[in-house]
Amino acid sequence: MASMLLSRQLTCCLQQNSRLLVFGHRYISQAAAKIDVDFDYDGPLMKTEVPGPRSRELMKKLNGIQNAEAVHFFCNYEESRGNYLVDVDGNRMLDLYSQISSVPIGYSHPSLIKLLQQPQNLSTFINRPALGILPPENFTEKLKESLLSVAPKGLSQVITMSCGSCSNENAFKAIFMWYRNKERGHNNVTKEELESCMINQPPGCPDYAILSFMGGFHGRTLGCLATTHSKAIHKLDIPSLDWPIAPFPRLKYPLEDFVKENQQEEARCLEEVEDLIVKYRKKKKIVAGIIVEPIQSEGGDNHASDDFFRKLRDIARKHGCAFLVDEVQTGGGCTGKFWAHEHWGLDDPADVVTFSKKMMTGGFFHKEEFRPNAPYRIFNTWLGDPSKNLMLAEVIKVIKTEDLLNNATHAGKALLTGLLDLQARYPHLISRVRGRGTFCSFDTPDDATRNKLITIARNKGVVLGGCGDRSIRFRPTLIFKDHHAHLFLNIFSDILANFK
């Protein structure tokens, strides 16, 4: 009787909250549970400059209790939907940055709202378990419905985390454990190892390293920061590790005009990778793994050819290093394939693939040989969040039902074609247009010009993001269509025509 009463109370509460969730979304109703409902706004609507007076007031209050200097403006997420972000001053903007590339199917998608309205899902959202020791009954089933349904080729194991940094940090640990287990011949750990690790000394704490690339970004935790080389402000004042850093190719554009030069540049970088592995081995420091992004995102949207990555994978195998692909920003479909590294056509899959952002949860896939050989070795309290897996399963369903991978390819082509046209008309403002799917970018003459263009665009109703020293990047949602691309291009064309 008590449980029935509690169930009724919870259902009632959920229904009330559901009404609150859909408030302000005039196109979302019970009928809107159909995935193909058009819930987008029809365009930007600007009322003030951004940040407006209400945002500035809130920024001042927040800055009183923490450093809020990175805040762009405050948002009204109840009124935001589809590809449009609404701020607290009522400005409605076409969002081509999508929370630093982390919104998969738009704001307030009807399918996700319906998911939260279902009483059987309530417990998943309010009872967050310590997954490593007390997972819910349906946890394995939900992992199969969500993450394992899109697992990269050859990777059958998955561990969830809460963010991209902790995904990479724990992936490093898994690699180090795998390498040490190989070295000791899969024998038992010695007493000396157990004692020395407690005082941060070898052999318990072996002198291993992860090789990374200049311009890469893999997170801000201590180990990840040793592999992050995009902006000095991320690393300043933080002690770090002596791990090798290889150059990443700096390609010349247009690619078809610089085939030979770009091949030589990639060969130079690959040669340096091998040299560094050998050099560090001579220093008694073993490179246990190599980490790389399919497209260096924070570092400036730096691309390399598919052939470069195939050869890099060969180098990792040749030297016995684990090959870790960081898909935190590129994963989830924005390049036209669910995982950007699928474009490479690897014969031998990556050993480890990390993810977060559009995947709703963090974590990493890995080959079975990288599975920890004891409990608590890869562990924290939450180990992710089952509610995120539930939402991801729905996101994946929408991606498949609405054919959003092909949409990313087509919308990306419209965006890239338009950017190339703008580059031809305004070469003094736009250069090195590049992209895969909707994962597009271009360079500006300098940091000041880049920041000014982003500010003007925002005040015209378009949210853009910067990366690297002087690049502007596009990170729209997967429901970004051709007409959104043309809408942006028309607005941005006017901005460039009047830029002073």
Side-chain angles (χ1 to χ4, degrees):
M1 185 71 179
S3 66
M4 288 178 61
L5 181 60
L6 177 61
S7 177
R8 287 192 196 121
Q9 288 173 335
L10 289 175
T11 302
C12 180
C13 176
L14 183 64
Q15 289 170 344
Q16 290 172 350
N17 288 339
S18 297
R19 287 195 287 272
L20 290 174
L21 278 169
V22 300
F23 178 77
H25 298 266
R26 59 181 180 275
Y27 298 146
I28 297 176
S29 63
Q30 289 300 317
K34 291 177 65 177
I35 291 172
D36 60 355
V37 168
D38 181 8
F39 65 105
D40 227 4
Y41 286 107
D42 57 4
L45 178 65
M46 302 305 291
K47 298 180 178 180
T48 72
E49 66 175 357
V50 182
R54 178 61 177 154
S55 266
R56 291 196 298 271
E57 177 189 351
L58 292 171
M59 289 161 78
K60 185 177 180 181
K61 288 181 178 178
L62 181 60
N63 204 50
I65 57 175
Q66 62 178 240
N67 187 318
E69 293 174 32
V71 174
H72 297 169
F73 52 88
F74 277 74
C75 304
N76 181 343
Y77 291 108
E78 288 76 16
E79 293 296 328
S80 301
R81 68 171 182 257
N83 289 285
Y84 289 88
L85 178 61
V86 178
D87 75 359
V88 292
D89 289 283
N91 298 299
R92 187 171 75 213
M93 295 161 274
L94 178 63
D95 188 0
L96 303 188
Y97 197 37
S98 66
Q99 310 291 323
I100 321 180
S101 193
S102 67
V103 179
I105 54 173
Y107 295 102
S108 301
H109 195 284
S111 294
L112 295 181
I113 290 177
K114 182 184 176 185
L115 189 77
L116 268 72
Q117 290 172 338
Q118 295 170 351
Q120 68 268 28
N121 294 330
L122 184 63
S123 175
T124 303
F125 285 95
I126 63 173
N127 297 310
R128 187 178 184 183
L131 283 170
I133 57 171
L134 297 167
E137 180 181 10
N138 63 358
F139 185 54
T140 305
E141 173 193 347
K142 294 303 177 184
L143 281 177
K144 288 180 178 179
E145 290 177 6
S146 56
L147 286 165
L148 289 172
S149 74
V150 291
K153 173 186 171 184
L155 307 187
S156 61
Q157 303 284 297
V158 67
I159 299 175
T160 50
M161 294 287 163
S162 294
C163 69
S165 292
C166 57
S167 302
N168 281 324
E169 193 84 19
N170 283 283
F172 293 170
K173 289 169 59 180
I175 288 170
F176 293 144
M177 293 171 192
W178 161 81
Y179 200 96
R180 185 63 182 133
N181 202 31
K182 281 197 309 176
E183 279 195 328
R184 67 167 65 97
H186 304 277
N187 294 318
N188 291 334
V189 176
T190 66
K191 180 183 178 185
E192 184 185 12
E193 287 176 303
L194 291 172
E195 291 176 349
S196 60
C197 76
M198 297 302 290
I199 54 171
N200 304 337
Q201 296 297 313
C205 292
D207 205 358
Y208 293 160
I210 300 290
L211 183 145
S212 56
F213 289 88
M214 187 58 68
F217 181 93
H218 302 290
R220 300 170 196 259
T221 51
L222 205 59
C224 291
L225 210 51
T227 62
T228 288
H229 318 287
S230 50
K231 291 185 177 70
I233 195 64
H234 300 154
K235 297 171 68 75
L236 185 67
D237 300 331
I238 312 300
S240 197
L241 301 159
D242 177 21
W243 289 359
I245 308 162
F248 193 82
R250 178 71 174 176
L251 301 185
K252 294 183 178 180
Y253 291 83
L255 296 176
E256 59 271 19
D257 292 349
F258 296 98
V259 173
K260 184 178 179 181
E261 292 89 339
N262 288 336
Q263 287 176 345
Q264 291 173 341
E265 169 69 357
E266 291 190 342
R268 178 187 71 85
C269 294
L270 290 168
E271 183 179 357
E272 184 67 17
V273 169
E274 287 216 72
D275 288 347
L276 283 166
I277 293 171
V278 173
K279 176 183 174 184
Y280 269 72
R281 189 177 295 142
K282 289 178 180 177
K283 292 167 55 176
K284 306 297 183 185
K285 187 183 289 283
I286 302 297
V287 176
I290 297 172
I291 186 169
V292 70
E293 298 163 90
I295 301 168
Q296 285 190 335
S297 306
E298 296 293 329
D301 267 29
N302 305 315
H303 292 244
S305 71
D306 296 339
D307 185 62
F308 170 84
F309 291 106
R310 287 191 292 266
K311 288 175 177 173
L312 182 64
R313 206 279 167 261
D314 290 342
I315 289 171
R317 187 190 311 106
K318 173 183 173 182
H319 291 277
C321 309
F323 189 54
L324 194 172
V325 180
D326 179 348
E327 290 259 22
V328 167
Q329 192 157 156
T330 53
C334 47
T335 67
K337 291 187 181 294
F338 203 90
W339 303 106
H341 76 272
E342 291 180 63
H343 291 283
W344 304 343
L346 295 178
D347 292 328
D348 182 11
D351 295 308
V352 184
V353 174
T354 52
F355 56 85
S356 190
K357 291 189 181 283
K358 278 186 171 66
M359 298 299 290
M360 313 297 285
T361 180
F364 60 97
F365 296 99
H366 59 88
K367 291 180 177 175
E368 188 145 357
E369 63 201 86
F370 289 80
R371 182 185 177 110
N373 61 359
Y376 298 103
R377 301 206 73 191
I378 301 292
F379 192 87
N380 57 51
T381 298
W382 301 127
L383 283 175
D385 184 339
S387 69
K388 302 302 182 186
N389 301 338
L390 195 65
M391 294 175 74
L392 175 61
E394 192 64 31
V395 166
I396 292 169
K397 191 185 300 181
V398 171
I399 289 172
K400 291 177 178 177
T401 303
E402 298 189 6
D403 197 19
L404 294 184
L405 297 184
N406 278 328
N407 178 70
T409 299
H410 292 302
K413 184 177 181 181
L415 178 59
L416 195 65
T417 300
L419 290 173
L420 287 167
D421 177 64
L422 292 176
Q423 177 179 260
R425 288 194 281 148
Y426 304 101
H428 60 295
L429 292 174
I430 294 181
S431 63
R432 300 182 77 242
V433 168
R434 54 205 183 273
R436 199 158 217 171
T438 57
F439 207 96
C440 297
S441 58
F442 63 83
D443 283 3
T444 62
D446 50 51
D447 177 58
T449 302
R450 184 259 306 275
N451 294 343
K452 187 175 180 181
L453 283 170
I454 289 174
T455 299
I456 295 172
R458 193 167 61 197
N459 285 320
K460 295 288 186 180
V462 177
V463 180
L464 298 171
C467 62
D469 296 329
R470 54 194 178 97
S471 299
I472 288 179
R473 58 177 156 170
F474 297 83
R475 299 293 186 270
T477 71
L478 297 175
I479 61 166
F480 175 82
K481 311 271 187 187
D482 289 22
H483 70 270
H484 296 111
H486 294 307
L487 175 61
F488 158 74
L489 291 165
N490 288 334
I491 293 170
F492 204 61
S493 178
D494 289 342
I495 290 172
L496 295 172
N498 297 302
F499 189 82
K500 295 177 182 177

